[in-house]
Amino acid sequence: MVYMRRVILSIMLVLATLTVQSQTFYELTFTLPNSNSKFVGLLIYTDDEHCKMRLVDDEALAENSCYMANYTCGIKEKDGQDDIGIMYLAPDNADMPIFVWVWEKDDESDMNAAPYLCFDITDTDSWIETTTFQEVALADMDEEYVSQFYGSDEPEYRMMMSGIRTVKDQSIGNTGGAALANGSSTLHLVVVANTAVSDIGTACDIDLRRIRSEFGGIAKALGMNLSETVVSGSNYGKDRVAAALKSLNPGTDDVVAFIYTGHGFRFNDQKDYYPCLDLSSSAYDNVEQNFMALSDIYKEITRKSARLNIVLSDCCNSVINQNQPVVRSNTLFSRSYNNFDLQKLSSLFLKTQGNIIATAASPGEFSWCGDNGGFFLLSFFESLRNQISALNQEAPSWNTLISSTISSAARKTENNESTVRQNGLKEVAVKNIQ
């Protein structure tokens, strides 16, 4: 294994580090066979195409050096075992190890177990299990910890230390000037999830839990009231959705988020680019009598008086009666998120006015989902976390967030051997307010 020095003079690398945004940090440890040297790694995960590893052992620490590489995520089905999925992180440096996670069919957990490492992914006998693997929050880091992996003259080191100070200040009540709602604003969350359908129901249930967790956490962090309506399971159906929309009565400083996860379709002669939502409560219902157009839902919501409206759908936009299967896929997406900047979160939800509509696929396309939910909604929450990260040096933007969501979902489907690229649609008409 060849190491690279932490003190790097390359202008290109310095410029690259200046674009750092949201990351989730994982610490892992391992010992190579026939070696007494213990390795400690810091895995910096942004999304499936943007991962980095900083790795040290006693020799590297003594020489003020570290091993490093960029990693890209891949998904495979294990040969001869269709019920086994493999997620791996492959480095751009052949001297650095590959990391491999294995999960079984219907395993809904995130990839939080200790991975295997290897240098040849095809030689399973050579796989070595890492000793530990755990998420590390910025609030749990200090200068001594970060200095193991970064030199103090690196721009990324300074970003890390700034992010650490931000999240630690927030934990003791210093909001850094962020204007919190303090109960004066309500987040109206309407989630429609086809969790009971036989094919993608499990993925929709994962989406549902993630949506409720993320938006519930946002409301709590910002001091907003939360009004939540869930249409799912045995309560799923067109009438329930219509009733939820009719009863929606937001105030002028409120936020409405309508999010759909389930089957979608379009009619052969449909002019509207956005999909129809399949709201059939059972396989025996006539879908042509049990649907609502996403555009119509958007129009109904935006006619109400809310300050900010967000309408999202993770569903197919293909010809009616063409549904996609669940594919093998998983991710390192964190269950919790503590590395956010409250001012950035406030900017998106409390200091923005306007309307947003976005969907997972263009006309004629499938929207794919895997063992960890729909690719589009997963990408949305990854992009949201990027925008509000304490490490993000740029001002948060809904347009950037939604554009990143669409491009990230496209990459996920393009990189998975079992899927075809999906290309989402969006209309973002928002402005910042003080």
Side-chain angles (χ1 to χ4, degrees):
M1 185 181 290
V2 180
Y3 68 82
M4 300 173 61
R5 292 207 173 268
R6 248 190 327 236
V7 181
I8 300 171
L9 300 179
S10 167
I11 294 177
M12 290 183 64
L13 184 54
V14 168
L15 290 175
T17 60
L18 291 174
T19 63
V20 170
Q21 295 188 1
S22 163
Q23 289 104 8
T24 303
F25 301 93
Y26 297 90
E27 180 190 281
L28 57 86
T29 61
F30 63 88
T31 302
L32 293 176
N34 304 318
S35 171
N36 293 322
S37 184
K38 179 181 178 180
F39 290 88
V40 180
L42 185 66
L43 174 63
I44 306 111
Y45 175 87
T46 301
D47 55 42
D48 289 350
E49 287 201 335
H50 302 90
C51 308
K52 293 183 288 187
M53 173 75 73
R54 295 249 174 165
L55 189 64
V56 296
D57 61 0
D58 291 340
E59 180 182 351
L61 289 172
E63 297 186 6
N64 194 34
S65 305
C66 71
Y67 317 105
M68 65 183 82
N70 295 313
Y71 281 78
T72 302
C73 181
I75 302 290
K76 289 182 178 290
E77 291 186 10
K78 194 170 183 179
D79 291 342
Q81 300 184 49
D82 293 338
D83 60 342
I84 298 294
I86 295 175
M87 184 181 81
Y88 62 92
L89 295 178
D92 61 2
N93 178 354
D95 293 313
M96 292 283 278
I98 303 166
F99 293 93
V100 184
W101 287 260
V102 180
W103 79 98
E104 297 181 358
K105 184 178 180 181
D106 297 328
D107 181 357
E108 299 177 9
S109 64
D110 296 330
M111 300 287 92
N112 60 346
Y116 295 93
L117 67 89
C118 62
F119 292 90
D120 180 359
I121 197 170
T122 63
D123 182 9
T124 55
D125 292 334
S126 69
W127 291 9
I128 306 162
E129 190 167 1
T130 54
T131 308
T132 62
F133 182 75
Q134 60 186 356
E135 186 174 343
V136 185
L138 284 174
D140 296 327
M141 300 182 189
D142 56 21
E143 185 175 3
E144 181 180 2
Y145 183 85
V146 175
S147 296
Q148 296 177 93
F149 306 103
Y150 294 93
S152 60
D153 59 343
E154 291 188 68
E156 198 162 354
Y157 172 89
R158 294 191 288 273
M159 290 180 188
M160 293 276 287
M161 296 310 301
S162 176
I164 290 169
R165 287 191 294 271
T166 295
V167 297
K168 286 188 174 182
D169 282 348
Q170 290 171 179
S171 69
I172 59 174
N174 180 4
T175 64
L180 303 185
N182 295 322
S184 63
S185 178
T186 297
L187 172 57
H188 301 265
L189 177 63
V190 180
V191 189
V192 181
N194 198 351
T195 58
V197 70
S198 59
D199 49 1
I200 62 170
T202 300
C204 293
D205 186 57
I206 294 170
D207 288 338
L208 171 60
R209 283 182 277 140
R210 179 173 292 137
I211 293 163
R212 297 182 69 187
S213 174
E214 293 282 331
F215 278 97
I218 289 167
K220 181 179 180 181
L222 292 175
M224 301 178 73
N225 302 312
L226 178 64
S227 174
E228 185 182 74
T229 302
V230 176
V231 179
S232 67
S234 59
N235 292 322
Y236 187 82
K238 180 180 178 180
D239 290 344
R240 299 280 185 168
V241 177
L245 293 173
K246 183 178 181 180
S247 64
L248 188 61
N249 186 30
T252 56
D253 195 34
D254 289 353
V255 177
V256 174
F258 176 95
I259 305 180
Y260 174 78
T261 173
H263 282 307
F265 67 92
R266 64 187 301 102
F267 293 101
N268 290 324
D269 58 351
Q270 183 173 319
K271 304 300 182 184
D272 180 12
Y273 289 145
Y274 287 91
C276 297
L277 312 185
D278 181 351
L279 301 175
S280 304
S281 58
S282 80
Y284 297 94
D285 289 342
N286 184 343
V287 65
E288 296 187 32
Q289 297 175 0
N290 291 278
F291 76 92
M292 297 178 74
L294 185 68
S295 294
D296 290 340
I297 293 172
Y298 175 70
K299 291 174 185 175
E300 182 171 353
I301 289 175
T302 55
R303 280 195 294 264
K304 299 177 185 287
S305 57
R307 170 176 47 79
L308 177 64
N309 299 294
I310 305 161
V311 176
L312 307 175
S313 68
D314 195 342
C315 63
C316 290
N317 202 351
S318 53
V319 176
I320 191 168
N321 294 324
Q322 289 185 352
N323 295 323
Q324 89 287 10
V326 177
V327 298
R328 297 257 67 80
S329 180
N330 223 312
T331 182
L332 278 170
F333 187 83
S334 173
R335 287 189 180 90
S336 61
Y337 187 60
N338 300 312
N339 297 337
F340 68 93
D341 183 335
L342 196 59
Q343 293 190 66
K344 292 183 172 64
L345 187 63
S346 176
S347 177
L348 286 178
F349 285 91
L350 298 180
K351 299 180 181 180
T352 302
Q353 181 181 49
N355 303 310
I356 299 163
I357 181 173
T359 194
S362 291
E365 294 180 348
F366 292 137
S367 172
W368 300 91
C369 59
D371 298 84
N372 203 28
F375 290 5
F376 177 78
L377 283 176
L378 176 61
S379 298
F380 170 78
F381 288 115
E382 286 178 342
S383 300
L384 172 60
R385 291 182 176 190
N386 277 336
Q387 289 295 302
I388 64 173
S389 170
L391 300 177
N392 191 349
Q393 302 299 295
E394 300 176 354
S397 159
W398 275 109
N399 190 57
T400 301
L401 193 164
I402 301 298
S403 295
S404 176
T405 296
I406 290 171
S407 60
S408 178
R411 289 194 302 270
K412 284 180 173 66
T413 51
E414 194 169 46
N415 293 343
N416 192 304
E417 61 183 15
S418 302
T419 62
V420 177
R421 180 184 172 102
Q422 66 185 58
N423 303 279
L425 301 172
K426 71 177 177 70
E427 295 175 38
V428 180
V430 298
K431 64 180 181 179
N432 294 328
I433 56 174
Q434 296 299 323

